[in-house]
Amino acid sequence: MIYDGTDLGELMHAECARPLMASPKVSTSTSAGRDGFEVSSVRLESFDVDVECYVLPGWPLDMADGIREASDAKRLIASALFRKGKRKLIFDDDPVMYCMAIVSGVSDVTRVGYVDYFTVTFTCDPLFLSNEERSQDLPLGKSVVRVGGTAPADARFEIRSSSTSVKVTGPDGSFVKVPCSNGSMVRVDMASKRATVNGADARVSIESTFFEIGPGDSDVHVEGGSGVVKWREAWL
């Protein structure tokens, strides 16, 4: 298990069970005189994963050495786990994917002999993202971007302008338009809902709406330049 770039397996032994997918939150409504219900909305909720951990520092010649080694290991583990925001979490059974997670709970430590046992709870975003970032060149005009995965993906566009504005339109007709000068490098990040021109924060037009692409074939239209689109496949 790797959290924020740290291989936790080098610090402790960990085992966990996680759900097949995040639980859907279904909102329903009923109508007078009609049987059953109507589905108003469905969204995926975050989910918790309890990781059962134990620290086994080895078998020193005396108990005092074992206690010191376990204490040192626990300090390293605590510093690797505590974060003030979500970080990448990679599970051992699916090393090509990651989810964004934060440690939301830790149990008391129970010591049996030289071994310290405890439970760490991660609260995870519902979608898993591919470790590999994919990309496709975008000429001026319309392109078809083939997006894998089972959920819509957030894209990043990098467009070299050939006009005084760059406009990127997504498969649902939503678009982001960024004023700029001819020859500028315009970047649009759909996940952070942010645009830059030559590395500096830039305003988008008031009509702009950030959008997602995929899964499947997505029509993308670029006006005012050409460049590349990058994304990570999203999976349930």
Side-chain angles (χ1 to χ4, degrees):
M1 183 178 293
I2 300 174
Y3 183 56
D4 196 21
T6 299
D7 187 349
L8 300 179
E10 296 179 354
L11 302 174
M12 63 186 183
H13 299 267
E15 296 180 358
C16 70
R18 56 191 178 97
L20 174 67
M21 59 175 284
S23 295
K25 176 66 174 180
V26 181
S27 298
T28 63
S29 61
T30 58
S31 301
R34 298 188 63 180
D35 296 330
F37 63 90
E38 298 293 332
V39 176
S40 303
S41 64
V42 180
R43 64 180 181 85
L44 293 173
E45 296 189 311
S46 60
F47 62 94
D48 289 343
V49 174
D50 291 330
V51 183
E52 305 299 330
C53 312
Y54 66 92
V55 179
L56 183 63
W59 299 103
L61 295 177
D62 59 76
M63 180 67 77
D65 288 341
I67 292 174
R68 280 195 297 271
E69 288 189 26
S71 296
D72 291 342
K74 286 184 290 185
R75 281 192 286 269
L76 290 174
I77 293 168
S79 64
L81 293 177
F82 176 71
R83 296 293 185 269
K84 292 186 177 181
K86 295 185 291 186
R87 299 292 189 271
K88 289 183 179 181
L89 176 62
I90 301 174
F91 290 97
D92 292 338
D93 63 346
D94 196 4
V96 299
M97 298 283 177
Y98 71 89
C99 67
M100 299 302 293
I102 189 171
V103 173
S104 56
V106 181
S107 73
D108 291 339
V109 176
T110 301
R111 174 169 291 161
V112 179
Y114 290 98
V115 184
D116 288 325
Y117 297 89
F118 55 94
T119 301
V120 176
T121 301
F122 287 94
T123 297
C124 306
D125 273 350
L127 295 180
F128 284 80
L129 303 177
S130 171
N131 286 327
E132 180 183 359
E133 185 176 63
R134 302 190 182 278
S135 64
Q136 180 176 319
D137 291 336
L138 294 177
L140 181 68
K142 179 183 175 181
S143 299
V144 177
V145 180
R146 178 158 294 178
V147 182
T150 55
D154 291 311
R156 294 187 297 114
F157 293 88
E158 299 178 359
I159 307 296
R160 179 68 68 181
S161 70
S162 57
S163 181
T164 56
S165 67
V166 166
K167 181 179 178 182
V168 182
T169 304
D172 64 350
S174 299
F175 66 86
V176 176
K177 185 176 181 179
V178 185
C180 61
S181 57
N182 193 351
S184 298
M185 172 53 69
V186 177
R187 292 182 170 88
V188 180
D189 190 325
M190 297 298 173
S192 63
K193 295 179 172 54
R194 179 171 175 256
T196 64
V197 174
N198 296 328
D201 286 339
R203 293 185 177 183
V204 300
S205 69
I206 194 172
E207 304 92 349
S208 295
T209 301
F210 292 89
F211 57 84
E212 298 171 316
I213 59 174
D217 291 349
S218 297
D219 292 338
V220 174
H221 194 274
V222 178
E223 300 176 45
S226 60
V228 64
V229 57
K230 301 178 180 180
W231 72 95
R232 295 183 187 273
E233 293 177 352
W235 298 80
L236 296 175

